[in-house]
Amino acid sequence: MTQPNALIVGVGNGLSAAVSRLLAKNGYQLTLAARTTDKLTALAAETGASTKACDASDPDQVRALFGALEKPPRVVVYNPSARVRGPLVDLAPENVRNALSITAFGAFLVGQEAARAMLAQEPEDGVRGTILFTGASAGVKGFPQSSPFAMGKFAQRGLAQSMARELHPQGIHVAWINIDGAIRNPGTTEPADSPDSMLDPAAIAETYLALIRQHRSAWSEEVAVRPWVERF
């Protein structure tokens, strides 16, 4: 079996970096995409990845991103999202439109191109690939003064559900991961008297890898991860 390719879209220094490191350790050839690639230099060197600049909300740029891949991806992870906070009556429509373009429309564009690429390749053990969307608790319940984020994540979750029902029978695993809590990204800290009250990005990455490795007889289309102290 040749080294499989994984494409991660919307790479930063937190969860997506942790997923990148874990996939690299497990034999994946990585392509890391972000609006600007300067911030990816160290991670790319660490993981042996190539980098591509891409605005995931732009159809032409997404199409070009997939066209530039050396080989079709077996794994595609979509991470970008945008938040616009404030009272509903004060939100600027253009800011809301931009947030939805990144969180929801970009997920559609990347999901569509990923599906096209995977459907065009031969399956291995009956599986053509895995498409994962990074969700949030906002995709399950809308919070006050955060309606654009809720709109985007609800749309993203619906997209993933629809894709799963359409693509699972064609050998493509699609899942939406509800990150139900704050992530302990670099530069953030949690209270000393409340250890593990934030999600460890490396621990979340293990869930992504588990989804990629799931046997097709028992595919998950939605998974929630949350700190053990979280009340829900």
Side-chain angles (χ1 to χ4, degrees):
M1 184 184 297
T2 59
Q3 186 181 28
N5 186 37
L7 168 64
I8 303 177
V9 180
V11 180
N13 65 352
L15 172 57
S16 50
V19 173
S20 302
R21 294 185 182 100
L22 187 60
L23 292 184
K25 289 179 182 177
N26 283 272
Y28 283 85
Q29 177 182 326
L30 295 178
T31 302
L32 310 179
R35 284 175 180 258
T36 58
T37 59
D38 292 347
K39 62 183 180 181
L40 304 180
T41 302
L43 180 62
E46 178 186 349
T47 59
S50 61
T51 61
K52 304 290 184 184
C54 179
D55 177 350
S57 65
D58 184 313
D60 292 335
Q61 291 192 39
V62 173
R63 194 176 304 115
L65 170 64
F66 278 83
L69 297 178
E70 293 183 7
K71 55 187 176 183
R74 288 287 177 180
V75 173
V76 173
V77 178
Y78 188 82
N79 280 300
S81 62
R83 296 174 184 261
V84 179
R85 298 184 183 276
L88 180 71
V89 296
D90 295 336
L91 295 174
E94 280 306 310
N95 292 340
V96 175
R97 188 199 302 271
N98 179 66
L100 294 177
S101 292
I102 294 169
T103 306
F105 186 55
F108 160 75
L109 293 175
V110 171
Q112 182 183 57
E113 289 298 325
R116 285 172 172 165
M118 291 175 184
L119 288 170
Q121 60 185 327
E122 290 299 318
E124 294 182 359
D125 297 326
V127 179
R128 288 188 164 92
T130 303
I131 303 171
L132 302 177
F133 296 97
T134 299
S137 47
V140 178
K141 53 185 177 182
F143 293 90
Q145 299 197 9
S146 188
S147 56
F149 193 53
M151 291 163 66
K153 286 301 182 182
F154 263 83
Q156 190 185 84
R157 184 186 183 199
L159 169 70
Q161 289 182 2
S162 180
M163 287 177 61
R165 287 169 171 80
E166 178 179 347
L167 297 175
H168 280 192
Q170 299 181 72
I172 299 175
H173 185 192
V174 180
W176 184 81
I177 300 95
N178 175 6
I179 311 298
D180 194 6
I183 301 176
R184 191 170 63 236
N185 287 326
T188 62
T189 57
E190 57 194 5
D193 60 351
S194 186
D196 294 334
S197 59
M198 301 178 74
L199 292 106
D200 183 340
I204 303 173
E206 293 285 352
T207 296
Y208 282 64
L209 182 61
L211 286 167
I212 294 167
R213 289 176 167 175
Q214 272 188 331
H215 190 273
R216 63 178 182 170
S217 69
W219 274 348
S220 300
E221 56 91 17
E222 189 168 307
V223 173
V225 293
R226 61 177 62 90
W228 67 289
V229 296
E230 185 83 3
R231 291 183 170 88
F232 59 95

